[in-house]
Amino acid sequence: EVQLVESGGGLIQPGRSLRLSCAASGFTFNDHAMHWVRQVPGKGLEWVSGISWNSASLNYAGSVKGRFTISRDNAKNALYLHMSSLRPEDTALYFCARSGLDYTGYLPDHWGQGTQVTVSS
Amino acid sequence: QSVLTQPPSISAAPGQRITISCSGSTSNIGNNYVAWYQQLPGTAPKLLIYDNDKRPSGIPDRFSGSKSGTTVTLGVTGLQTGDEASYYCATWDSGLSAVVFGGGTRLTVL
């Protein structure tokens, strides 16, 4: 069974940094690209970033480009999102999601339960 | 403003059939695969349809997907109260080099 468990969320002040983690299990991690998607409570889904199976391809939404960095450690079956210069509008539930294939252009097929990030002074 | 356009809400009675449209452009829907996700209240999204019209194992055939040009459609037959959820379309946008989602459609089963 595919399992994705996010962690690292919390309350953080504007301008500070935070790193989210996603622990993957139940599948061959390095066969799949991975994504981060966020959702403000009561609002729609917003794709944040994607990374190919070998980290060769990294993609970001315009709203986070230059501030967020996605990475992965295939040896640890882990996905990360380093978020810097955080803004109140980054407040959301952040989902880790597995791509159906090994490249970032393919869409998610399994999702974690999310970790909440709240940016506020 | 979402790149993909969906109706914000739709309602129907149990047992009826509904369709949800999602329109985009040649840089996204027109030249890339589309997926549909169902998000029940308080839960993570769940894949309903992938590659425009395919169902993952475990998804009942009451759910269907189709594509014509730059528009995709999700169909649901035999509506059940358990289908009350938000539904999102998504695809890759080649111009943005990004995954894009529709704004979501909230389905109410009266």
Side-chain angles (χ1 to χ4, degrees), chain A residues 32-111:
Chain A
H32 295 267
M34 298 293 294
H35 299 273
W36 287 100
V37 178
R38 68 186 181 184
Q39 185 174 37
V40 174
K43 302 296 185 184
L45 300 171
E46 180 189 15
W47 178 82
V48 173
S49 182
I51 184 169
S52 62
W53 71 277
N54 60 357
S55 304
S57 178
L58 310 177
N59 299 98
Y60 298 94
S63 57
V64 306
K65 195 172 292 186
R67 300 188 300 121
F68 289 13
T69 302
I70 191 171
S71 63
R72 64 190 293 163
D73 185 335
N74 287 345
K76 295 182 178 179
N77 288 353
L79 174 71
Y80 306 102
L81 185 68
H82 186 262
M83 306 183 292
S84 62
S85 303
L86 281 163
R87 305 167 180 168
E89 54 265 36
D90 294 319
T91 295
L93 184 63
Y94 283 73
F95 294 104
C96 163
R98 187 189 84 164
S99 170
L101 292 174
D102 60 3
Y103 62 99
T104 56
Y106 204 73
L107 300 166
D109 64 356
H110 285 84
W111 300 63

Side-chain angles (χ1 to χ4, degrees), chain B residues 10-16 79-85 87 107-110:
Chain B
I10 187 171
S11 60
Q16 287 193 325
L79 273 177
Q80 303 173 1
T81 55
D83 296 332
E84 280 206 340
Y87 293 83
L107 170 62
T108 302
V109 181
L110 303 167

